[in-house]
Amino acid sequence: MAQLTPSEYGQQAHADFSPVGWHLGHIAFTESLWILEHLAGQNGSPSAYRRLFAADGLPKAERQNLPDLATVLDYLAQVRQRVWEYLETAPLQQERLWWWLLQHESQHAETISWVLAMHRRAQHPVPTSSGQSPVVAAVNGPDMVSIPRTTVQLGYGGVEALDNEGPAATVTVEPFWIDRYPVTCGAYRRFMEAGGYYCPDWWSTEGWAWLQAHPVQQPFYWSGQAAMEQHPVCGVSWYEADAYARWLGNRLPTEAEWEVAARGQHGCLYPWGEDGPDISRCNHHHQMGQTTPVGSYPQGCSAWGCEDMLGNVWEWTATCFAGYAGFMAYPYQGYSQAYFDGRHRVLRGGSWATRRWALRSSFRNWYHPHMRQVFAGFRCAHSAV
Ligand code: AVJ
Ligand code: FE
């Protein structure tokens, strides 16, 4: 935190994202609202902080006029202190709310990582890729895994599950093929070199219109370095992921396909079984501080042989975010339900910056298809016909 520059702390890196300082205040505000006010029945935050840091307070563009870092860190520390005191005698049947709050903070912490990455990218711009073609080992051909018709319970209703993960239900997925690994930078480079960004054939109508309005030629976090060739591509919009998949005659997996690929025929919560994540099985929890070459965690492989399903990069799916049958909002309507609008696409799997308690095969994230600042890549699929 000490290394935050004033602009990293208080300025927007991008119109779609609040400044780091706002996220810090919002983490404290949310903890005080749900634990101190709702659970403990105590006084919450000062009303000035409510206006500043509530999700429905100020529009994003007006969140740059913040109290200084020391003040916000003090606010965080005071809320946390009061929460520790309350925890001594807190009734334990409210466990679900504590799990929700922990994952709420973790998701904002991950967003802070993206915002810092955006600031650093603006400070150290990467030249566009044209003309620089590093000499690297040949990229292997597509390596896909065949998954038979599977009937299995998907979704999750455990106490730590977020509202949108449940209720769990038995689902049948028709046979399909899916990439063993997320698409690498080396593979994606071929798409770029084949003129992928200049050929409407590979793009959806909406994606091509987006590309014309926002001309880009490479992923947001593209470095162009040979050392990154085996890393998953990171920083693509859903439109770019979709175009790449079409270029190969493939498509993005549906979220049910993705989840079957991760959970196997018995529906384990993690690709490797029922034990929670640890650092030998996937790149997560900020332990590596960046992406790792795909296939670096063979111990994390799923029953079908898919690797890097959890951690490394989030993965776009074909599916629009919606509630499962019998969805029940928790802890408030706006948490998930407000985004069941047919405009958001589901991402799965978490990234290297996802905390371990927000990493499981049922976890669903969602963003607009134009968003490319998330630590997100993808893998391709096709139906087995
Ligand atoms: C699920 C990551 C899209 O950060 O906007 C945080 C999570 N909701 N505070 C977001 C969330 C309310 C949400 N995402
Ligand atoms: Fe929030």
Side-chain angles (χ1 to χ4, degrees):
M1 217 63 83
Q3 311 94 302
L4 276 183
T5 65
S7 85
E8 284 171 345
Y9 174 74
Q11 305 278 287
Q12 273 186 295
H14 184 279
D16 289 338
F17 293 87
S18 304
V20 170
W22 183 88
H23 286 281
L24 295 174
H26 172 76
I27 288 168
F29 172 77
T30 306
E31 185 163 335
S32 129
L33 177 70
W34 288 98
I35 302 296
L36 298 178
E37 277 189 66
H38 285 238
L39 269 194
Q42 300 175 12
N43 288 332
S45 299
S47 57
Y49 282 177
R50 178 179 301 271
R51 183 171 152 68
L52 254 179
F53 294 130
D56 58 1
L58 296 169
K60 283 202 177 89
E62 290 165 37
R63 292 174 178 174
Q64 303 188 88
N65 212 341
L66 298 167
D68 64 21
L69 175 61
T71 305
V72 172
L73 290 181
D74 186 58
Y75 173 40
L76 269 163
Q78 283 189 31
V79 170
R80 187 56 52 91
Q81 179 58 34
R82 289 174 60 196
V83 166
W84 285 134
E85 279 161 23
Y86 172 63
L87 194 52
E88 299 286 328
T89 59
L92 282 177
Q93 59 271 36
Q94 297 289 358
E95 197 184 338
R96 188 178 184 194
L97 193 58
W98 293 87
W99 279 112
W100 177 82
L101 188 79
L102 183 60
Q103 293 170 85
H104 177 267
E105 172 169 335
S106 298
Q107 290 181 85
H108 281 281
E110 179 161 353
T111 306
I112 288 173
S113 302
W114 306 339
V115 171
L116 290 175
M118 289 177 228
H119 280 293
R120 300 212 171 117
R121 180 183 174 280
Q123 291 302 305
H124 308 283
V126 177
T128 47
S129 65
S130 49
Q132 40 155 298
S133 214
V135 180
V136 288
V139 178
N140 295 328
D143 184 356
M144 298 183 99
V145 169
S146 167
I147 300 187
R149 184 172 203 269
T150 304
T151 298
V152 67
Q153 181 157 290
L154 299 183
Y156 182 54
V159 70
E160 72 274 41
L162 300 184
D163 60 359
N164 60 66
E165 286 171 85
T170 301
V171 172
T172 297
V173 169
E174 297 304 323
F176 67 104
W177 291 76
I178 189 166
D179 285 342
R180 185 182 299 279
Y181 309 109
V183 172
T184 61
C185 293
Y188 196 86
R189 172 192 299 286
R190 291 181 169 179
F191 171 70
M192 289 162 53
E193 288 173 353
Y197 281 95
Y198 302 95
C199 181
D201 293 0
W202 316 123
W203 296 74
S204 62
T205 310
E206 193 182 301
W208 186 252
W210 167 80
L211 183 63
Q212 302 319 297
H214 307 272
V216 294
Q217 293 138 297
Q218 61 193 30
F220 188 79
Y221 297 113
W222 188 256
S223 79
Q225 289 167 2
M228 298 300 286
E229 294 279 298
Q230 294 296 330
H231 286 238
V233 71
C234 183
V236 287
S237 64
W238 184 91
Y239 297 127
E240 290 162 279
D242 175 65
Y244 175 95
R246 289 169 188 244
W247 173 66
L248 289 178
N250 288 331
R251 57 173 173 78
L252 295 177
T254 65
E255 68 165 326
E257 288 170 340
W258 190 98
E259 194 168 329
V260 165
R263 298 180 71 164
Q265 65 270 54
H266 303 301
C268 299
L269 195 52
Y270 302 95
W272 51 84
E274 296 294 347
D275 298 336
D278 74 80
I279 199 59
S280 72
R281 296 196 138 125
C282 57
N283 175 10
H284 71 297
H285 208 69
H286 248 285
Q287 295 274 320
M288 304 303 287
Q290 59 167 79
T291 56
T292 41
V294 302
S296 297
Y297 295 86
Q299 291 185 67
C301 122
S302 82
W304 315 108
C306 293
E307 299 197 27
D308 289 279
M309 294 300 287
L310 297 187
N312 221 359
V313 287
W314 287 97
E315 299 179 22
W316 286 109
T317 72
T319 306
C320 284
F321 187 50
Y324 295 154
F327 169 84
M328 300 250 284
Y330 181 89
Y332 57 96
Q333 288 261 322
Y335 183 72
S336 297
Q337 203 171 338
Y339 303 92
F340 297 164
D341 57 4
R343 296 291 314 139
H344 294 76
R345 299 279 172 167
V346 174
L347 299 108
R348 294 301 201 103
S351 79
W352 61 265
T354 305
R355 292 297 175 189
R356 69 167 72 87
W357 36 79
L359 199 79
R360 54 186 171 267
S361 303
S362 56
F363 196 98
R364 309 169 77 199
N365 209 344
W366 63 89
Y367 280 99
H368 282 125
H370 65 257
M371 200 66 104
R372 54 206 306 272
Q373 289 76 15
V374 177
F375 293 154
F378 61 102
R379 69 182 80 208
C380 298
H382 63 81
S383 302
V385 212

